[in-house]
Amino acid sequence: MGTDVLSLRMDQELLERLRSHAAKRGMSVQDYVVQTLIRDDFDQRFQTAVEETEKFYGVT
């Protein structure tokens, strides 16, 4: 699997908050942001799967 580069522009306040959250977990800001995006993507895919299952079984 290859990698690509994503560049973000953010204000200093947000960057400091990200640094703080990452430091609490012993992570770099980059790793923290990537893990957050992965977790959010999983949550969205899981929710979609639940909704599709409920539709299939007629649960509302």
Side-chain angles (χ1 to χ4, degrees):
M1 180 169 86
T3 60
D4 288 310
V5 174
L6 172 65
S7 178
L8 299 172
R9 183 180 304 265
M10 64 183 74
D11 64 26
Q12 188 66 29
E13 182 181 331
L14 176 57
L15 181 56
E16 289 305 318
R17 287 198 326 260
L18 289 173
R19 282 183 180 142
S20 174
H21 290 301
K24 289 176 186 174
R25 291 161 180 80
M27 304 170 78
S28 69
V29 172
Q30 178 179 336
D31 289 342
Y32 178 78
V33 170
V34 169
Q35 288 300 318
T36 301
L37 292 171
I38 289 169
R39 184 175 55 245
D40 184 60
D41 180 59
F42 172 80
D43 291 347
Q44 289 178 18
R45 289 183 290 130
F46 182 77
Q47 183 61 40
T48 299
V50 168
E51 290 169 359
E52 291 298 318
T53 300
E54 288 175 346
K55 283 183 202 174
F56 180 78
Y57 286 105
V59 177
T60 55

